[in-house]
């Protein structure tokens, strides 16, 4: 009889294990969205086949799946092992064994689901339990569930302690505590007279939005008011990857070749990039980004260490599948452990339902809590203000009216970035790294929030909405970034620069109207550090250093060039279709041998044909649009008054010397480049010279 009961107990435990494992997998499968109307398009299947046939990408996803299985199986197996050790179980009927065992495993799932609701209230699981987390109810369920599970533990261990299991539990707890230990501020041990260099980037944030929000942004405002502000700074191309390529190269996307996100890294010459020059000059170079899906910059660009989630096509897949209570708890409560187990989803702003801004800042603090013998160059980019302007523990924004500059949700995201900037500056100050430093605070681009374009000041002077998605009259292109070159909230960036000695800024605060662009960052730093100043001559950017010491420095007479990224209509709407987005990605991108998504070079000409190009000179901007059946479209406008024309025979065209602007645009992008806008432009260009 005893043997029969033991056999039943053993076999039933195995069945319970499989049942619990099945429940865990079922909960995982619930995260995979399915909608008949949002089916995978033909191009999407091509991309999925590439993913499954790519060893590197497939292995990354397999590792994730194995880790998910283990974090579900391990605690359930432990609970079932305890259950088997309870003496009274031998006297249970088979039905009661199964029922009670299932009850214990469900208690575990319920407990972690409610813990998830408290830690990550924006998780789909949290919304399903208690919207925005009812703390009293959550704590009641968590405490009640764990009291029952603890009672099971004591029943099983009473007089029968398994020292091997106990040792394993203690070891895991000690390891978790060690990895999650509080950060220790380490005083900088920089024996060099070279300054530390910190480029602090905030995503999707225009200078106009800064002015609208600044009363609520104490940390960013403090830096800006301690800096020389360049209030007329434009981004060469409003996408994170291309903007940072311009920052690190001192050149336009037209010159580096990186004219859109996910351009193949091996096709970009990084030998003269700022990071490599500083590395050669003895700097420890660090890059920190909390969203690397479309900005896959890595160590090959001259960085000793890259801080942030792993990069690869697995990021796109796993960030949408990772909203699972066990993963969320791991990322939230034990991020130092989670980054080992889930490297693609920890500290990943793209996995927004589980992303916590404070955790990424804490990770940055841990990396900076090292005693570097050399000066450091840190390029950090906080992506929290990128769409969808939400994250794991966001609370509803206050009812403030920022229109027509900003919105409450966008402001709330910028406020979160402000907290991250504040924590970083506090860490740098306490560690003594601001005793001799250069701080550059910038944004990679602004953000269009759906307001009608504010380039044109008078309501009656705003062009009516058109049908063509590439028409400058289309309101849709006021969303996002990298699209509408006429919208200042998209193309005007934030930029403040200063040097710090003994943690105090040395250049007096001023607001400069100097026409600046992000390609000016590299030559400015080279001049301020006196590193390879001779190479500045080969850069397209100019040094802004003279304006730090002499606010009355004469303004340079310069032409600044802008271009859009890949701007399909699907990418520039308030609520893009998942099918359209997947179709766009699969049409223009492929998976390389390293498991990374990158632009298909054969599609490069098609991307170029969809670009809008512009040149700015003083108060004038000339924008030229993709060619269509109506011929080339052009818009000339006064950036100060909002007056505009699309007629070359108008008085405004003559006043602005529109022909010169057009010649400059052709001269910079080249006739071949401009032919993407108008196949007949070569003839037009030749006739204009006759």
């Amino acid at each position: 009889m005893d043997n029969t009961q033991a056999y039943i107990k053993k076999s039933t435990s195995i069945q319970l294990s499989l049942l619990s494992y099945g429940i865990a997998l079922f909960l995982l499968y619930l995260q995979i969205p399915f909608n008949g109307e949002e089916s995978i398009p033909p191009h999407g299947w091509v991309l999925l086949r590439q993913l499954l046939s790519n060893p590197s990408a497939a292995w990354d996803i397999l590792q994730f799946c194995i880790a998910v299985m283990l974090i579900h199986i391990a605690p359930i197996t432990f609970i079932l092992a305890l259950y088997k050790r309870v003496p009274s179980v031998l006297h249970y009927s088979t039905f009661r064994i199964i029922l009670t065992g299932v009850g214990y495993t469900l208690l575990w799932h319920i407990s972690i689901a409610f813990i998830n609701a408290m830690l990550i209230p924006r998780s789909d699981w949290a919304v399903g339990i208690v919207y925005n987390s009812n703390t009293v109810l959550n704590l009641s369920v968590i405490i009640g569930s764990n009291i029952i599970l603890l009672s099971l533990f004591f029943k099983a261990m009473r007089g029968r302690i398994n020292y091997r299991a106990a040792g394993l539990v203690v070891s895991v707890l000690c390891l978790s505590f060690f990895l999650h230990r509080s950060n220790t501020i380490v005083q900088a041990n920089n024996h060099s007279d070279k300054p530390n260099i910190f480029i602090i980037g905030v995503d999707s944030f225009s200078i106009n939005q800064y002015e609208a929000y600044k009363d609520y942004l104490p940390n960013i405002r403090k830096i800006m008011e301690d800096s020389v502000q360049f209030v007329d700074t434009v981004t060469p191309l409003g996408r994170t990857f291309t903007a940072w390529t311009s920052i690190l190269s001192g050149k336009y996307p037209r010159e580096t070749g990186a004219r859109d996100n996910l351009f193949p890294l091996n096709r970009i010459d990084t030998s003269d990039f700022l990071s490599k020059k500083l590395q050669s000059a003895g700097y420890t170079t660090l890059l920190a980004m909390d969203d690397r899906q479309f900005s896959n910059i890595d160590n090959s660009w001259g960085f000793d260490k890259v801080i942030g989630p792993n990069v690869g096509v697995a990021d796109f897949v796993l960030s949408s599948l990772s909203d699972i209570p066990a993963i969320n708890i791991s990322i939230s409560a034990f991020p130092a452990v989670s980054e080992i187990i889930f490297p693609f989803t920890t500290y990943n702003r793209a996995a927004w339902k589980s992303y916590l801004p404070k955790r990424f800042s804490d990770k940055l603090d841990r990396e900076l809590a090292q005693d570097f013998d050399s000066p450091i160059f840190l390029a950090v980019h906080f992506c929290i203000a990128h769409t969808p302007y939400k994250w794991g523990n966001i609370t509803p924004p206050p009812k403030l009216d920022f229109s027509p500059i900003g919105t409450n949700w966008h402001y709330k995201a910028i406020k979160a970035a402000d907290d991250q900037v504040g924590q970083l500056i506090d860490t740098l100050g306490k560690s003594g790294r601001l005793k001799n430093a250069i701080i550059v605070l910038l944004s990679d681009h602004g953000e269009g929030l759906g307001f009608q374009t504010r380039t044109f000041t008078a309501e009656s002077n705003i062009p009516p909405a058109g049908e063509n998605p590439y028409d400058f009259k289309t309101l849709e292109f006021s969303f996002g970034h990298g699209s509408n070159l006429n919208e200042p909230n998209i193309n005007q960036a934030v930029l403040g620069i200063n040097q710090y000695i003994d943690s105090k800024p040395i250049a007096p605060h001023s607001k400069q109207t100097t026409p600046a662009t992000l390609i000016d960052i590299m030559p400015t730093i080279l001049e301020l550090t006196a590193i390879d100043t001779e190479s500045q001559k080969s850069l397209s950017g100019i040094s802004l250093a003279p304006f730090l010491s002499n606010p009355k420095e004469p303004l340079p007479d310069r032409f600044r060039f802008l271009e859009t990224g890949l701007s399909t209509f699907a990418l520039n709407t308030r609520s893009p279709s998942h099918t359209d987005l997947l179709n766009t990605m699969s049409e223009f991108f492929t998976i390389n041998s390293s498991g990374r998504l990158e632009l298909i070079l054969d599609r490069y000409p098609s991307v170029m044909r969809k670009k809008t190009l512009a040149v700015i000179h003083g108060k004038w901007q000339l924008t030229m649009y993709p060619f269509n059946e109506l011929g080339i479209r052009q818009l000339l406008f006064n950036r100060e008054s909002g007056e505009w024309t699309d007629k070359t025979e108008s008085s405004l065209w003559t006043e602005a010397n529109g022909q010169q602007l057009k010649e400059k645009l052709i001269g910079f992008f080249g006739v071949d480049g401009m032919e993407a806008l108008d196949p007949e432009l070569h003839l037009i260009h030749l006739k204009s010279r006759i």
Side-chain angles (χ1 to χ4, degrees):
M1 184 66 178
D2 290 341
N3 292 335
T4 303
Q5 288 180 328
Y7 174 78
I8 292 174
K9 182 178 69 172
K10 182 178 180 181
S11 62
T12 304
S13 297
I14 294 173
Q15 293 168 12
L16 284 172
S17 299
L18 293 174
L19 177 61
S20 302
Y21 175 57
I23 292 172
L25 282 183
F26 175 70
L27 298 179
L28 170 61
Y29 293 151
L30 285 179
Q31 304 306 303
I32 301 176
F34 177 77
N35 186 324
E37 296 179 357
E38 292 283 315
S39 58
I40 298 176
H43 284 297
W45 287 113
V46 175
L47 198 61
L48 286 176
R49 283 195 293 270
Q50 288 183 18
L51 171 62
L52 295 175
S53 62
N54 185 288
S56 180
W59 174 241
D60 290 335
I61 294 175
L62 179 60
Q63 284 181 308
F64 172 84
C65 294
I66 292 173
V68 171
M69 291 177 189
L70 288 177
I71 65 171
H72 283 88
I73 291 174
I76 292 172
T77 301
F78 183 70
I79 290 172
L80 291 175
L82 292 174
Y83 180 47
K84 286 166 55 180
R85 297 178 68 86
V86 176
S88 58
V89 172
L90 286 173
H91 305 291
Y92 289 176
S93 66
T94 302
F95 176 76
R96 188 178 179 185
I97 288 176
I98 295 174
L99 184 64
T100 311
V102 170
Y104 280 125
T105 57
L106 287 178
L107 273 177
W108 168 254
H109 283 302
I110 290 171
S111 178
I112 63 172
F114 275 80
I115 293 173
N116 173 71
M118 292 192 66
L119 297 176
I120 314 288
R122 285 287 163 180
S123 164
D124 287 341
W125 293 88
V127 174
I129 295 172
V130 182
Y131 183 72
N132 276 339
S133 180
N134 183 314
T135 304
V136 175
L137 177 59
N138 285 358
L139 283 175
S140 299
V141 174
I142 292 167
I143 293 172
S145 300
N146 283 282
I147 286 176
I148 297 174
L149 291 173
L150 281 173
S151 69
L152 171 66
F153 176 81
F154 287 118
K155 283 181 182 179
M157 292 293 102
R158 188 169 51 196
R160 303 174 63 185
I161 297 178
N162 187 324
Y163 292 101
R164 190 177 300 173
L168 178 62
V169 172
V170 172
S171 299
V172 170
L173 291 176
C174 290
L175 177 63
S176 300
F177 176 79
F178 175 77
L179 292 174
H180 194 62
R181 67 192 186 282
S182 59
N183 301 324
T184 302
I185 301 297
V186 175
Q187 287 295 312
N189 184 28
N190 180 10
H191 301 293
S192 171
D193 58 355
K194 298 173 183 174
N196 294 310
I197 302 168
F198 305 106
I199 302 180
I200 305 173
V202 177
D203 205 290
S204 306
F205 187 33
S206 74
I207 186 64
N208 293 331
Q209 289 158 345
Y210 163 72
E211 292 294 337
Y213 303 151
K214 68 179 181 181
D215 291 341
Y216 307 94
L217 307 174
N219 301 301
I220 291 176
R221 187 178 71 245
K222 177 67 166 62
I223 297 176
M224 292 294 282
E225 291 179 352
D226 283 344
S227 300
V228 176
Q229 294 182 37
F230 295 89
V231 296
D232 184 15
T233 302
V234 296
T235 181
L237 200 164
R239 297 282 165 79
T240 302
F241 175 75
T242 52
W244 272 95
T245 304
S246 294
I247 291 167
L248 296 172
S249 67
K251 297 178 180 179
Y252 284 102
R254 165 74 174 79
E255 299 167 300
T256 62
R259 302 181 72 179
D260 217 305
N261 286 337
L262 299 176
F263 189 81
L265 297 186
N266 59 3
R267 302 299 292 265
I268 302 173
D269 182 6
T270 62
S271 59
D272 290 329
F273 275 26
L274 175 63
S275 42
K276 287 193 174 179
K277 287 185 179 297
L278 294 175
Q279 197 175 47
S280 299
Y283 277 78
T284 297
T285 55
L286 307 172
L287 173 69
M289 283 190 177
D290 52 356
D291 187 345
R292 302 177 65 203
Q293 278 193 346
F294 289 98
S295 184
N296 53 356
I297 301 171
D298 59 20
N299 303 77
S300 67
W301 284 33
F303 290 102
D304 296 313
K305 187 164 188 178
V306 177
I307 304 163
N310 277 10
V311 66
V313 70
D315 183 1
F316 290 87
V317 177
L318 302 180
S319 61
S320 62
L321 298 178
S322 60
D323 182 19
I324 302 170
I327 298 179
N328 291 342
I329 293 170
S330 174
I331 290 173
S332 174
F334 306 102
V337 178
S338 180
E339 67 177 305
I340 300 172
I341 305 172
F342 303 110
F344 284 94
T345 54
T346 307
Y347 313 122
N348 190 348
R349 194 267 174 278
W352 70 268
K353 292 177 183 177
S354 61
Y355 176 77
L356 302 178
K358 183 72 166 58
R359 294 294 178 264
F360 179 68
S361 292
D362 291 343
K363 166 66 174 176
L364 192 52
D365 282 353
R366 286 196 295 273
E367 295 295 339
L368 292 172
Q370 300 181 41
D371 188 7
F372 298 104
D373 291 329
S374 60
I376 63 173
F377 166 53
L378 170 65
V380 57
H381 193 64
F382 297 114
C383 300
I384 190 65
H386 196 282
T387 53
Y389 320 130
K390 298 177 184 178
W391 54 95
N393 60 352
I394 186 176
T395 56
K399 294 182 179 179
L400 300 171
D401 185 11
F402 297 109
S403 60
I405 304 297
T407 65
N408 284 342
W409 286 103
H410 183 252
Y411 151 71
K412 186 77 173 181
I414 295 295
K415 184 68 176 70
D418 180 77
D419 294 337
Q420 290 181 300
V421 170
Q423 182 171 336
L424 173 60
I425 292 297
D426 184 60
T427 299
L428 296 176
K430 289 179 179 178
S431 65
R433 290 196 170 93
L434 296 184
K435 292 180 180 179
N436 182 14
I438 297 170
I439 293 182
V440 179
L441 177 67
L442 55 79
S443 62
D444 54 348
H445 49 72
E447 184 75 346
L449 298 169
F451 299 110
Q452 192 150 17
T453 178
R454 294 171 54 265
T455 298
F456 312 100
T457 55
E459 185 72 23
S460 60
N461 201 33
I462 298 175
E467 296 180 358
N468 190 295
Y470 305 109
D471 190 343
F472 65 86
K473 303 169 186 176
T474 303
L475 177 61
E476 291 288 349
F477 267 45
S478 290
F479 290 103
H481 41 265
S483 52
N484 187 350
L485 296 184
N486 301 325
E487 172 55 68
N489 277 341
I490 292 178
N491 303 291
Q492 294 287 139
V494 172
L495 180 59
I497 306 174
N498 213 335
Q499 289 182 285
Y500 286 70
I501 299 295
D502 293 329
S503 301
K504 296 179 180 179
I506 61 174
H509 168 68
S510 64
K511 289 188 176 182
Q512 294 291 329
T513 57
T514 305
T517 174
L518 294 183
I519 65 173
D520 299 334
I521 304 302
M522 179 176 176
T524 301
I525 290 177
L526 291 180
E527 181 166 343
L528 290 175
T529 57
I531 294 175
D532 195 12
T533 54
E534 191 65 25
S535 67
Q536 293 183 46
K537 298 176 182 178
S538 63
L539 304 178
S540 297
I542 65 171
S543 173
L544 302 176
F547 300 96
L548 271 62
S549 56
N550 181 13
K552 296 183 179 180
E553 181 78 13
L555 297 179
D557 182 36
R558 66 188 306 203
F559 293 85
R560 294 176 290 171
F561 301 96
L562 294 76
E563 60 182 289
T564 59
L566 174 59
S567 297
T568 65
F569 194 68
L571 297 173
N572 293 284
T573 57
R574 187 184 297 273
S575 300
S577 160
H578 293 295
T579 300
D580 290 344
L581 288 175
L582 181 57
N583 198 42
T584 297
M585 290 184 63
S586 56
E587 181 181 358
F588 289 97
F589 300 97
T590 188
I591 303 172
N592 66 18
S593 58
S594 300
R596 296 186 178 191
L597 208 63
E598 64 179 29
L599 184 68
I600 302 172
L601 291 180
D602 289 345
R603 302 294 293 159
Y604 198 69
S606 177
V607 174
M608 296 303 102
R609 283 194 294 273
K610 297 177 184 294
K611 280 182 175 288
T612 301
L613 309 175
V615 58
I616 298 176
H617 183 232
K619 64 182 180 180
W620 301 103
Q621 177 171 325
L622 174 65
T623 306
M624 302 184 75
Y625 297 86
F627 177 80
N628 56 34
E629 68 277 2
L630 299 179
I632 193 167
R633 297 189 173 196
Q634 56 195 9
L635 172 69
L636 173 74
F637 65 90
N638 186 314
R639 300 169 71 227
E640 297 174 358
S641 69
E643 296 177 276
W644 64 275
T645 183
D646 56 358
K647 310 296 183 185
T648 57
E649 62 273 14
S650 69
S651 59
L652 205 63
W653 181 271
T654 303
E655 180 186 352
N657 197 350
Q659 187 60 34
Q660 181 194 32
L661 292 175
K662 190 170 183 178
E663 291 290 336
K664 287 291 183 180
L665 202 60
I666 295 171
F668 179 75
F669 286 102
V671 173
D672 292 338
M674 296 293 290
E675 280 181 345
L677 299 185
D678 187 348
E680 298 180 0
L681 184 60
H682 187 70
L683 292 176
I684 296 173
H685 180 56
L686 291 178
K687 290 178 181 178
S688 68
R689 292 182 171 274
I690 298 176

